[in-house]
Amino acid sequence: MRRAVLATILVVTGAATTAATGDFPYGSTHSFNVYRNGQQIGSHTLSFQGNGQQRTVATSIDFAVRALGLTVYRYSHRGNEVWNGSTLQSIDTKTDDNGKQFTMRARHDGNRLAVERKGADVAFGTSLNDQGLQRNDAVVEALPPTVLPSTHWNLNQVKQSMLLNTQYGTPSKVQITNLGRQTIKTSSRSIEATHYRYAGDITMDQWFDDRGRWVKAAFKAFDGSEIEYILQE
């Protein structure tokens, strides 16, 4: 998707404790309503399956921006991850960004992450994580096997200096600042969370609670509008 995420060492006790225990913090689904300048435009849902070391994570994102009764922008993203413990085994994604089609797939292959990407022409550096392909044919690239995908939910991403952009299949260099503890609101309550700010190829704000769950996000879209994710629980 156009957003994607994260890097620096955890220093907050609650979040660090969750990561250290290895307890998986999510239930079967984890869903956000997404707002643009205060108006709901869609949803972002994660679905988790598996037990122990084996796990799959499915991502479903749908946005539609309307003006004067017409849909002026539409975004759809589908992804599927396969994990063995903390090691990404594979990821496949398909994105429709207002008519521009992107696909990417990555496989853990010994000492590398083999990535294949394909997409329409997009300009580099136009907005949040808008670093795309300059051609329509498939491109294959080898990345370090420890690179994590920018799928937002994984607290271990905050330890990374590079992430795999899951819309374009390109590496994204990132830096994160820990802004400390804040109280954020979900759909039903207020909770304590740790606030991280991302810079570099990804610019956004993200919050994780003491269980290690992704609980909020905020960023500016390509047109300067304010996007906010509100956890539904």
Side-chain angles (χ1 to χ4, degrees), residues 8-13 15-17 19 155-156 158-159 178 194 196 208:
T8 200
I9 298 175
L10 285 173
V11 295
V12 177
T13 301
T17 300
L155 181 58
N156 288 325
V158 301
K159 304 173 186 178
N178 184 330
T194 304
Y196 297 95
F208 286 91

Side-chain angles (χ1 to χ4, degrees), residues 215-228:
V215 293
K216 182 179 173 65
F219 53 86
K220 283 191 176 182
F222 65 95
D223 62 351
S225 58
E226 300 287 342
I227 306 299
E228 184 178 28

